[in-house]
């Protein structure tokens, strides 16, 4: 929707809302910067907000339709959006609040995970594979087919044991 609701997990109360969005998909918190990031697919941007005040402090235009899921990689210190209909990922420097690169992923990207060591993985439902991206060089390192899983949409990582869990529909 059009807003993000912030909840207190200890007492189940609403702390506040972040509005002014058209079609938000993902939220990422970067505690070290005191900032949060929200994708807005229809407005083709990432909205930046202050974690303490929940006030919007900026935005980064991705110029990509369906700016969808996003993730923060602690190894490279970049925020990555995954733009489903655009078949790519936008890499954002959260300190400079600027786009670093757009990575062509050749298919409908879905949910990403990071290993904390500089690798990012994402399901691609069109290609029925998992793509591995080096978060420092911003280059694709590998693609793994996951057929006959079906459209690869859900992904989780056990970083300690270096295992990815890809699920399809």
């Amino acid at each position: 929707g059009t807003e993000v609701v912030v909840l207190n997990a200890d007492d189940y109360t609403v702390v506040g809302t972040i509005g002014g969005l058209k079609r938000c998909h993902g939220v990422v918190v970067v505690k070290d910067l005191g900032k949060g990031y929200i994708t807005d697919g229809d407005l083709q941007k990432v909205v930046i907000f202050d974690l303490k005040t929940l006030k919007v402090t900026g935005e980064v235009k991705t110029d990509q339709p369906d700016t969808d899921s996003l993730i923060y990689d602690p190894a490279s210190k970049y925020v990555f959006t995954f733009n489903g209909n655009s078949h790519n990922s936008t890499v954002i420097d959260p300190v400079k609040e600027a786009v670093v690169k757009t990575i062509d992923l050749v298919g409908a990207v879905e949910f990403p995970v990071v290993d904390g060591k500089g690798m990012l993985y994402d399901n691609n439902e069109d290609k029925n594979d998992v793509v591995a991206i080096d978060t420092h060089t911003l280059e694709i390192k590998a693609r793994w087919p996951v057929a006959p899983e079906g459209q690869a949409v859900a992904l989780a990582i056990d970083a300690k044991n270096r295992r990815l869990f890809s699920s399809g529909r």
Side-chain angles (χ1 to χ4, degrees), residues 131-164:
V131 62
I133 301 168
D134 182 311
T135 63
H136 295 289
T137 65
L138 306 178
E139 299 295 328
I140 295 172
K141 290 300 203 187
R143 294 188 94 94
W144 300 303
V146 291
E149 165 182 302
Q151 295 172 308
V153 291
L155 190 63
I157 188 169
D158 172 354
K160 180 181 175 190
N161 294 305
R162 309 278 308 144
R163 290 184 174 177
L164 292 168

PDB file of all heavy atoms in Angstrom, residues 131-164:
ATOM      1  N   VAL A 131      20.452 -16.548  -8.802  1.00  0.00           N
ATOM      2  CA  VAL A 131      21.623 -15.818  -9.277  1.00  0.00           C
ATOM      3  C   VAL A 131      22.475 -15.431  -8.062  1.00  0.00           C
ATOM      4  O   VAL A 131      21.943 -15.086  -7.003  1.00  0.00           O
ATOM      5  CB  VAL A 131      21.219 -14.565 -10.099  1.00  0.00           C
ATOM      6  CG1 VAL A 131      20.426 -13.571  -9.269  1.00  0.00           C
ATOM      7  CG2 VAL A 131      22.435 -13.884 -10.708  1.00  0.00           C
ATOM      8  N   ALA A 132      23.793 -15.534  -8.215  1.00  0.00           N
ATOM      9  CA  ALA A 132      24.750 -15.154  -7.168  1.00  0.00           C
ATOM     10  C   ALA A 132      25.486 -13.905  -7.634  1.00  0.00           C
ATOM     11  O   ALA A 132      26.059 -13.888  -8.726  1.00  0.00           O
ATOM     12  CB  ALA A 132      25.740 -16.291  -6.921  1.00  0.00           C
ATOM     13  N   ILE A 133      25.471 -12.869  -6.796  1.00  0.00           N
ATOM     14  CA  ILE A 133      26.090 -11.579  -7.135  1.00  0.00           C
ATOM     15  C   ILE A 133      27.152 -11.241  -6.102  1.00  0.00           C
ATOM     16  O   ILE A 133      26.882 -11.277  -4.893  1.00  0.00           O
ATOM     17  CB  ILE A 133      25.031 -10.455  -7.166  1.00  0.00           C
ATOM     18  CG1 ILE A 133      23.945 -10.778  -8.199  1.00  0.00           C
ATOM     19  CG2 ILE A 133      25.672  -9.098  -7.435  1.00  0.00           C
ATOM     20  CD1 ILE A 133      22.715  -9.892  -8.098  1.00  0.00           C
ATOM     21  N   ASP A 134      28.337 -10.898  -6.560  1.00  0.00           N
ATOM     22  CA  ASP A 134      29.403 -10.402  -5.687  1.00  0.00           C
ATOM     23  C   ASP A 134      29.058  -8.962  -5.345  1.00  0.00           C
ATOM     24  O   ASP A 134      28.967  -8.114  -6.229  1.00  0.00           O
ATOM     25  CB  ASP A 134      30.742 -10.486  -6.413  1.00  0.00           C
ATOM     26  CG  ASP A 134      31.918 -10.045  -5.556  1.00  0.00           C
ATOM     27  OD1 ASP A 134      31.836  -8.962  -4.940  1.00  0.00           O
ATOM     28  OD2 ASP A 134      32.920 -10.774  -5.539  1.00  0.00           O
ATOM     29  N   THR A 135      28.852  -8.660  -4.067  1.00  0.00           N
ATOM     30  CA  THR A 135      28.396  -7.318  -3.672  1.00  0.00           C
ATOM     31  C   THR A 135      29.502  -6.268  -3.674  1.00  0.00           C
ATOM     32  O   THR A 135      29.230  -5.090  -3.511  1.00  0.00           O
ATOM     33  CB  THR A 135      27.721  -7.338  -2.285  1.00  0.00           C
ATOM     34  OG1 THR A 135      28.677  -7.738  -1.294  1.00  0.00           O
ATOM     35  CG2 THR A 135      26.516  -8.273  -2.278  1.00  0.00           C
ATOM     36  N   HIS A 136      30.739  -6.687  -3.871  1.00  0.00           N
ATOM     37  CA  HIS A 136      31.837  -5.719  -3.971  1.00  0.00           C
ATOM     38  C   HIS A 136      32.097  -5.331  -5.428  1.00  0.00           C
ATOM     39  O   HIS A 136      32.250  -4.154  -5.745  1.00  0.00           O
ATOM     40  CB  HIS A 136      33.111  -6.277  -3.324  1.00  0.00           C
ATOM     41  CG  HIS A 136      32.979  -6.477  -1.844  1.00  0.00           C
ATOM     42  ND1 HIS A 136      32.927  -5.440  -0.947  1.00  0.00           N
ATOM     43  CD2 HIS A 136      32.859  -7.603  -1.121  1.00  0.00           C
ATOM     44  CE1 HIS A 136      32.787  -5.905   0.279  1.00  0.00           C
ATOM     45  NE2 HIS A 136      32.741  -7.225   0.199  1.00  0.00           N
ATOM     46  N   THR A 137      32.133  -6.329  -6.318  1.00  0.00           N
ATOM     47  CA  THR A 137      32.378  -6.041  -7.737  1.00  0.00           C
ATOM     48  C   THR A 137      31.087  -5.726  -8.478  1.00  0.00           C
ATOM     49  O   THR A 137      31.127  -5.209  -9.587  1.00  0.00           O
ATOM     50  CB  THR A 137      33.057  -7.235  -8.433  1.00  0.00           C
ATOM     51  OG1 THR A 137      32.154  -8.346  -8.439  1.00  0.00           O
ATOM     52  CG2 THR A 137      34.364  -7.598  -7.756  1.00  0.00           C
ATOM     53  N   LEU A 138      29.949  -6.101  -7.872  1.00  0.00           N
ATOM     54  CA  LEU A 138      28.615  -5.910  -8.461  1.00  0.00           C
ATOM     55  C   LEU A 138      28.471  -6.683  -9.765  1.00  0.00           C
ATOM     56  O   LEU A 138      27.783  -6.261 -10.689  1.00  0.00           O
ATOM     57  CB  LEU A 138      28.292  -4.418  -8.639  1.00  0.00           C
ATOM     58  CG  LEU A 138      28.434  -3.566  -7.371  1.00  0.00           C
ATOM     59  CD1 LEU A 138      28.135  -2.116  -7.668  1.00  0.00           C
ATOM     60  CD2 LEU A 138      27.560  -4.119  -6.254  1.00  0.00           C
ATOM     61  N   GLU A 139      29.104  -7.832  -9.814  1.00  0.00           N
ATOM     62  CA  GLU A 139      29.052  -8.708 -10.981  1.00  0.00           C
ATOM     63  C   GLU A 139      28.372 -10.024 -10.616  1.00  0.00           C
ATOM     64  O   GLU A 139      28.491 -10.506  -9.483  1.00  0.00           O
ATOM     65  CB  GLU A 139      30.475  -9.003 -11.493  1.00  0.00           C
ATOM     66  CG  GLU A 139      31.247  -7.779 -11.926  1.00  0.00           C
ATOM     67  CD  GLU A 139      30.644  -7.064 -13.133  1.00  0.00           C
ATOM     68  OE1 GLU A 139      30.056  -7.745 -13.990  1.00  0.00           O
ATOM     69  OE2 GLU A 139      30.760  -5.828 -13.203  1.00  0.00           O
ATOM     70  N   ILE A 140      27.695 -10.616 -11.603  1.00  0.00           N
ATOM     71  CA  ILE A 140      27.095 -11.933 -11.428  1.00  0.00           C
ATOM     72  C   ILE A 140      28.205 -12.975 -11.435  1.00  0.00           C
ATOM     73  O   ILE A 140      29.029 -13.006 -12.346  1.00  0.00           O
ATOM     74  CB  ILE A 140      26.072 -12.218 -12.541  1.00  0.00           C
ATOM     75  CG1 ILE A 140      24.888 -11.251 -12.427  1.00  0.00           C
ATOM     76  CG2 ILE A 140      25.593 -13.672 -12.482  1.00  0.00           C
ATOM     77  CD1 ILE A 140      23.913 -11.312 -13.576  1.00  0.00           C
ATOM     78  N   LYS A 141      28.235 -13.818 -10.406  1.00  0.00           N
ATOM     79  CA  LYS A 141      29.263 -14.848 -10.282  1.00  0.00           C
ATOM     80  C   LYS A 141      28.779 -16.210 -10.769  1.00  0.00           C
ATOM     81  O   LYS A 141      29.576 -17.010 -11.256  1.00  0.00           O
ATOM     82  CB  LYS A 141      29.710 -14.984  -8.827  1.00  0.00           C
ATOM     83  CG  LYS A 141      30.510 -13.794  -8.344  1.00  0.00           C
ATOM     84  CD  LYS A 141      31.733 -13.654  -9.183  1.00  0.00           C
ATOM     85  CE  LYS A 141      32.821 -12.907  -8.503  1.00  0.00           C
ATOM     86  NZ  LYS A 141      33.934 -12.641  -9.397  1.00  0.00           N
ATOM     87  N   ALA A 142      27.477 -16.475 -10.596  1.00  0.00           N
ATOM     88  CA  ALA A 142      26.955 -17.789 -10.986  1.00  0.00           C
ATOM     89  C   ALA A 142      25.443 -17.729 -11.092  1.00  0.00           C
ATOM     90  O   ALA A 142      24.813 -16.802 -10.576  1.00  0.00           O
ATOM     91  CB  ALA A 142      27.361 -18.845  -9.959  1.00  0.00           C
ATOM     92  N   ARG A 143      24.896 -18.725 -11.772  1.00  0.00           N
ATOM     93  CA  ARG A 143      23.446 -18.950 -11.831  1.00  0.00           C
ATOM     94  C   ARG A 143      23.242 -20.448 -11.639  1.00  0.00           C
ATOM     95  O   ARG A 143      23.944 -21.251 -12.251  1.00  0.00           O
ATOM     96  CB  ARG A 143      22.882 -18.524 -13.177  1.00  0.00           C
ATOM     97  CG  ARG A 143      22.966 -17.036 -13.436  1.00  0.00           C
ATOM     98  CD  ARG A 143      22.202 -16.679 -14.709  1.00  0.00           C
ATOM     99  NE  ARG A 143      20.864 -16.288 -14.392  1.00  0.00           N
ATOM    100  CZ  ARG A 143      20.475 -15.015 -14.209  1.00  0.00           C
ATOM    101  NH1 ARG A 143      21.324 -14.036 -14.342  1.00  0.00           N
ATOM    102  NH2 ARG A 143      19.240 -14.740 -13.897  1.00  0.00           N
ATOM    103  N   TRP A 144      22.269 -20.801 -10.792  1.00  0.00           N
ATOM    104  CA  TRP A 144      21.990 -22.202 -10.534  1.00  0.00           C
ATOM    105  C   TRP A 144      20.546 -22.511 -10.895  1.00  0.00           C
ATOM    106  O   TRP A 144      19.626 -21.909 -10.337  1.00  0.00           O
ATOM    107  CB  TRP A 144      22.208 -22.552  -9.068  1.00  0.00           C
ATOM    108  CG  TRP A 144      23.591 -22.304  -8.582  1.00  0.00           C
ATOM    109  CD1 TRP A 144      24.742 -22.821  -9.082  1.00  0.00           C
ATOM    110  CD2 TRP A 144      23.970 -21.456  -7.497  1.00  0.00           C
ATOM    111  NE1 TRP A 144      25.821 -22.356  -8.370  1.00  0.00           N
ATOM    112  CE2 TRP A 144      25.365 -21.510  -7.379  1.00  0.00           C
ATOM    113  CE3 TRP A 144      23.271 -20.662  -6.593  1.00  0.00           C
ATOM    114  CZ2 TRP A 144      26.078 -20.822  -6.418  1.00  0.00           C
ATOM    115  CZ3 TRP A 144      23.977 -19.960  -5.635  1.00  0.00           C
ATOM    116  CH2 TRP A 144      25.353 -20.048  -5.557  1.00  0.00           C
ATOM    117  N   PRO A 145      20.334 -23.452 -11.800  1.00  0.00           N
ATOM    118  CA  PRO A 145      18.955 -23.836 -12.115  1.00  0.00           C
ATOM    119  C   PRO A 145      18.319 -24.542 -10.917  1.00  0.00           C
ATOM    120  O   PRO A 145      18.997 -25.286 -10.204  1.00  0.00           O
ATOM    121  CB  PRO A 145      19.108 -24.785 -13.301  1.00  0.00           C
ATOM    122  CG  PRO A 145      20.513 -25.242 -13.284  1.00  0.00           C
ATOM    123  CD  PRO A 145      21.317 -24.193 -12.571  1.00  0.00           C
ATOM    124  N   VAL A 146      17.032 -24.277 -10.697  1.00  0.00           N
ATOM    125  CA  VAL A 146      16.325 -24.917  -9.588  1.00  0.00           C
ATOM    126  C   VAL A 146      15.119 -25.727 -10.072  1.00  0.00           C
ATOM    127  O   VAL A 146      14.274 -26.122  -9.280  1.00  0.00           O
ATOM    128  CB  VAL A 146      15.912 -23.894  -8.505  1.00  0.00           C
ATOM    129  CG1 VAL A 146      17.138 -23.367  -7.780  1.00  0.00           C
ATOM    130  CG2 VAL A 146      15.094 -22.760  -9.087  1.00  0.00           C
ATOM    131  N   ALA A 147      15.053 -25.983 -11.385  1.00  0.00           N
ATOM    132  CA  ALA A 147      13.976 -26.823 -11.922  1.00  0.00           C
ATOM    133  C   ALA A 147      14.089 -28.210 -11.306  1.00  0.00           C
ATOM    134  O   ALA A 147      15.197 -28.662 -11.030  1.00  0.00           O
ATOM    135  CB  ALA A 147      14.095 -26.897 -13.435  1.00  0.00           C
ATOM    136  N   PRO A 148      13.003 -28.866 -11.047  1.00  0.00           N
ATOM    137  CA  PRO A 148      11.623 -28.585 -11.433  1.00  0.00           C
ATOM    138  C   PRO A 148      10.824 -27.832 -10.367  1.00  0.00           C
ATOM    139  O   PRO A 148       9.613 -27.966 -10.286  1.00  0.00           O
ATOM    140  CB  PRO A 148      11.049 -29.984 -11.645  1.00  0.00           C
ATOM    141  CG  PRO A 148      11.727 -30.794 -10.575  1.00  0.00           C
ATOM    142  CD  PRO A 148      13.125 -30.207 -10.472  1.00  0.00           C
ATOM    143  N   GLU A 149      11.497 -27.033  -9.572  1.00  0.00           N
ATOM    144  CA  GLU A 149      10.861 -26.310  -8.469  1.00  0.00           C
ATOM    145  C   GLU A 149       9.638 -25.512  -8.899  1.00  0.00           C
ATOM    146  O   GLU A 149       8.703 -25.343  -8.142  1.00  0.00           O
ATOM    147  CB  GLU A 149      11.922 -25.385  -7.848  1.00  0.00           C
ATOM    148  CG  GLU A 149      11.428 -24.325  -6.943  1.00  0.00           C
ATOM    149  CD  GLU A 149      12.574 -23.470  -6.446  1.00  0.00           C
ATOM    150  OE1 GLU A 149      13.507 -24.012  -5.839  1.00  0.00           O
ATOM    151  OE2 GLU A 149      12.528 -22.253  -6.665  1.00  0.00           O
ATOM    152  N   GLY A 150       9.628 -25.013 -10.109  1.00  0.00           N
ATOM    153  CA  GLY A 150       8.568 -24.096 -10.523  1.00  0.00           C
ATOM    154  C   GLY A 150       9.099 -22.684 -10.405  1.00  0.00           C
ATOM    155  O   GLY A 150      10.286 -22.472 -10.174  1.00  0.00           O
ATOM    156  N   GLN A 151       8.262 -21.701 -10.537  1.00  0.00           N
ATOM    157  CA  GLN A 151       8.712 -20.311 -10.460  1.00  0.00           C
ATOM    158  C   GLN A 151       9.379 -20.063  -9.112  1.00  0.00           C
ATOM    159  O   GLN A 151       8.735 -20.105  -8.071  1.00  0.00           O
ATOM    160  CB  GLN A 151       7.539 -19.357 -10.639  1.00  0.00           C
ATOM    161  CG  GLN A 151       6.913 -19.421 -12.000  1.00  0.00           C
ATOM    162  CD  GLN A 151       5.648 -18.596 -12.042  1.00  0.00           C
ATOM    163  OE1 GLN A 151       4.774 -18.741 -11.212  1.00  0.00           O
ATOM    164  NE2 GLN A 151       5.573 -17.714 -13.027  1.00  0.00           N
ATOM    165  N   ALA A 152      10.671 -19.769  -9.130  1.00  0.00           N
ATOM    166  CA  ALA A 152      11.442 -19.560  -7.898  1.00  0.00           C
ATOM    167  C   ALA A 152      11.083 -18.208  -7.287  1.00  0.00           C
ATOM    168  O   ALA A 152      11.365 -17.170  -7.873  1.00  0.00           O
ATOM    169  CB  ALA A 152      12.930 -19.627  -8.210  1.00  0.00           C
ATOM    170  N   VAL A 153      10.432 -18.227  -6.118  1.00  0.00           N
ATOM    171  CA  VAL A 153       9.993 -16.965  -5.519  1.00  0.00           C
ATOM    172  C   VAL A 153      10.485 -16.746  -4.094  1.00  0.00           C
ATOM    173  O   VAL A 153      10.790 -15.622  -3.720  1.00  0.00           O
ATOM    174  CB  VAL A 153       8.452 -16.813  -5.565  1.00  0.00           C
ATOM    175  CG1 VAL A 153       7.969 -16.629  -6.983  1.00  0.00           C
ATOM    176  CG2 VAL A 153       7.749 -17.980  -4.910  1.00  0.00           C
ATOM    177  N   ALA A 154      10.563 -17.765  -3.278  1.00  0.00           N
ATOM    178  CA  ALA A 154      10.977 -17.600  -1.888  1.00  0.00           C
ATOM    179  C   ALA A 154      12.413 -18.086  -1.719  1.00  0.00           C
ATOM    180  O   ALA A 154      12.821 -19.065  -2.343  1.00  0.00           O
ATOM    181  CB  ALA A 154      10.049 -18.372  -0.961  1.00  0.00           C
ATOM    182  N   LEU A 155      13.173 -17.376  -0.876  1.00  0.00           N
ATOM    183  CA  LEU A 155      14.571 -17.737  -0.667  1.00  0.00           C
ATOM    184  C   LEU A 155      14.969 -17.429   0.769  1.00  0.00           C
ATOM    185  O   LEU A 155      14.601 -16.379   1.311  1.00  0.00           O
ATOM    186  CB  LEU A 155      15.455 -16.941  -1.640  1.00  0.00           C
ATOM    187  CG  LEU A 155      16.919 -17.324  -1.745  1.00  0.00           C
ATOM    188  CD1 LEU A 155      17.081 -18.749  -2.269  1.00  0.00           C
ATOM    189  CD2 LEU A 155      17.647 -16.360  -2.685  1.00  0.00           C
ATOM    190  N   ALA A 156      15.701 -18.347   1.378  1.00  0.00           N
ATOM    191  CA  ALA A 156      16.249 -18.147   2.720  1.00  0.00           C
ATOM    192  C   ALA A 156      17.680 -18.649   2.715  1.00  0.00           C
ATOM    193  O   ALA A 156      18.082 -19.421   1.837  1.00  0.00           O
ATOM    194  CB  ALA A 156      15.421 -18.901   3.763  1.00  0.00           C
ATOM    195  N   ILE A 157      18.460 -18.188   3.703  1.00  0.00           N
ATOM    196  CA  ILE A 157      19.854 -18.618   3.792  1.00  0.00           C
ATOM    197  C   ILE A 157      20.189 -19.033   5.215  1.00  0.00           C
ATOM    198  O   ILE A 157      19.761 -18.403   6.179  1.00  0.00           O
ATOM    199  CB  ILE A 157      20.826 -17.509   3.304  1.00  0.00           C
ATOM    200  CG1 ILE A 157      22.257 -18.044   3.220  1.00  0.00           C
ATOM    201  CG2 ILE A 157      20.725 -16.269   4.176  1.00  0.00           C
ATOM    202  CD1 ILE A 157      23.226 -17.135   2.510  1.00  0.00           C
ATOM    203  N   ASP A 158      20.932 -20.112   5.316  1.00  0.00           N
ATOM    204  CA  ASP A 158      21.587 -20.517   6.546  1.00  0.00           C
ATOM    205  C   ASP A 158      23.045 -20.129   6.318  1.00  0.00           C
ATOM    206  O   ASP A 158      23.820 -20.894   5.728  1.00  0.00           O
ATOM    207  CB  ASP A 158      21.422 -22.017   6.763  1.00  0.00           C
ATOM    208  CG  ASP A 158      22.243 -22.564   7.924  1.00  0.00           C
ATOM    209  OD1 ASP A 158      23.045 -21.813   8.523  1.00  0.00           O
ATOM    210  OD2 ASP A 158      22.107 -23.772   8.222  1.00  0.00           O
ATOM    211  N   ALA A 159      23.390 -18.905   6.713  1.00  0.00           N
ATOM    212  CA  ALA A 159      24.717 -18.355   6.407  1.00  0.00           C
ATOM    213  C   ALA A 159      25.838 -19.168   7.067  1.00  0.00           C
ATOM    214  O   ALA A 159      26.897 -19.346   6.475  1.00  0.00           O
ATOM    215  CB  ALA A 159      24.791 -16.895   6.825  1.00  0.00           C
ATOM    216  N   LYS A 160      25.609 -19.666   8.265  1.00  0.00           N
ATOM    217  CA  LYS A 160      26.632 -20.421   8.977  1.00  0.00           C
ATOM    218  C   LYS A 160      27.035 -21.676   8.211  1.00  0.00           C
ATOM    219  O   LYS A 160      28.214 -21.997   8.079  1.00  0.00           O
ATOM    220  CB  LYS A 160      26.143 -20.798  10.373  1.00  0.00           C
ATOM    221  CG  LYS A 160      27.142 -21.588  11.167  1.00  0.00           C
ATOM    222  CD  LYS A 160      26.606 -21.970  12.527  1.00  0.00           C
ATOM    223  CE  LYS A 160      27.587 -22.859  13.240  1.00  0.00           C
ATOM    224  NZ  LYS A 160      27.002 -23.435  14.456  1.00  0.00           N
ATOM    225  N   ASN A 161      26.047 -22.403   7.695  1.00  0.00           N
ATOM    226  CA  ASN A 161      26.318 -23.653   6.987  1.00  0.00           C
ATOM    227  C   ASN A 161      26.361 -23.473   5.475  1.00  0.00           C
ATOM    228  O   ASN A 161      26.483 -24.458   4.747  1.00  0.00           O
ATOM    229  CB  ASN A 161      25.277 -24.710   7.370  1.00  0.00           C
ATOM    230  CG  ASN A 161      25.412 -25.097   8.822  1.00  0.00           C
ATOM    231  OD1 ASN A 161      26.477 -25.488   9.267  1.00  0.00           O
ATOM    232  ND2 ASN A 161      24.327 -24.953   9.564  1.00  0.00           N
ATOM    233  N   ARG A 162      26.253 -22.202   4.991  1.00  0.00           N
ATOM    234  CA  ARG A 162      26.366 -21.863   3.575  1.00  0.00           C
ATOM    235  C   ARG A 162      25.352 -22.645   2.729  1.00  0.00           C
ATOM    236  O   ARG A 162      25.674 -23.219   1.702  1.00  0.00           O
ATOM    237  CB  ARG A 162      27.782 -22.111   3.052  1.00  0.00           C
ATOM    238  CG  ARG A 162      28.886 -21.491   3.866  1.00  0.00           C
ATOM    239  CD  ARG A 162      29.194 -20.059   3.628  1.00  0.00           C
ATOM    240  NE  ARG A 162      29.420 -19.775   2.236  1.00  0.00           N
ATOM    241  CZ  ARG A 162      29.039 -18.642   1.670  1.00  0.00           C
ATOM    242  NH1 ARG A 162      28.413 -17.715   2.363  1.00  0.00           N
ATOM    243  NH2 ARG A 162      29.268 -18.420   0.404  1.00  0.00           N
ATOM    244  N   ARG A 163      24.081 -22.611   3.163  1.00  0.00           N
ATOM    245  CA  ARG A 163      23.011 -23.283   2.436  1.00  0.00           C
ATOM    246  C   ARG A 163      21.918 -22.292   2.055  1.00  0.00           C
ATOM    247  O   ARG A 163      21.490 -21.492   2.886  1.00  0.00           O
ATOM    248  CB  ARG A 163      22.396 -24.400   3.263  1.00  0.00           C
ATOM    249  CG  ARG A 163      23.292 -25.569   3.469  1.00  0.00           C
ATOM    250  CD  ARG A 163      22.549 -26.639   4.202  1.00  0.00           C
ATOM    251  NE  ARG A 163      23.360 -27.849   4.299  1.00  0.00           N
ATOM    252  CZ  ARG A 163      22.985 -28.912   4.939  1.00  0.00           C
ATOM    253  NH1 ARG A 163      21.813 -28.941   5.541  1.00  0.00           N
ATOM    254  NH2 ARG A 163      23.758 -29.957   4.988  1.00  0.00           N
ATOM    255  N   LEU A 164      21.472 -22.383   0.815  1.00  0.00           N
ATOM    256  CA  LEU A 164      20.344 -21.600   0.343  1.00  0.00           C
ATOM    257  C   LEU A 164      19.125 -22.512   0.259  1.00  0.00           C
ATOM    258  O   LEU A 164      19.249 -23.680  -0.134  1.00  0.00           O
ATOM    259  CB  LEU A 164      20.631 -21.029  -1.045  1.00  0.00           C
ATOM    260  CG  LEU A 164      21.711 -19.967  -1.121  1.00  0.00           C
ATOM    261  CD1 LEU A 164      22.095 -19.722  -2.574  1.00  0.00           C
ATOM    262  CD2 LEU A 164      21.242 -18.689  -0.461  1.00  0.00           C
TER     263      LEU A 164
END
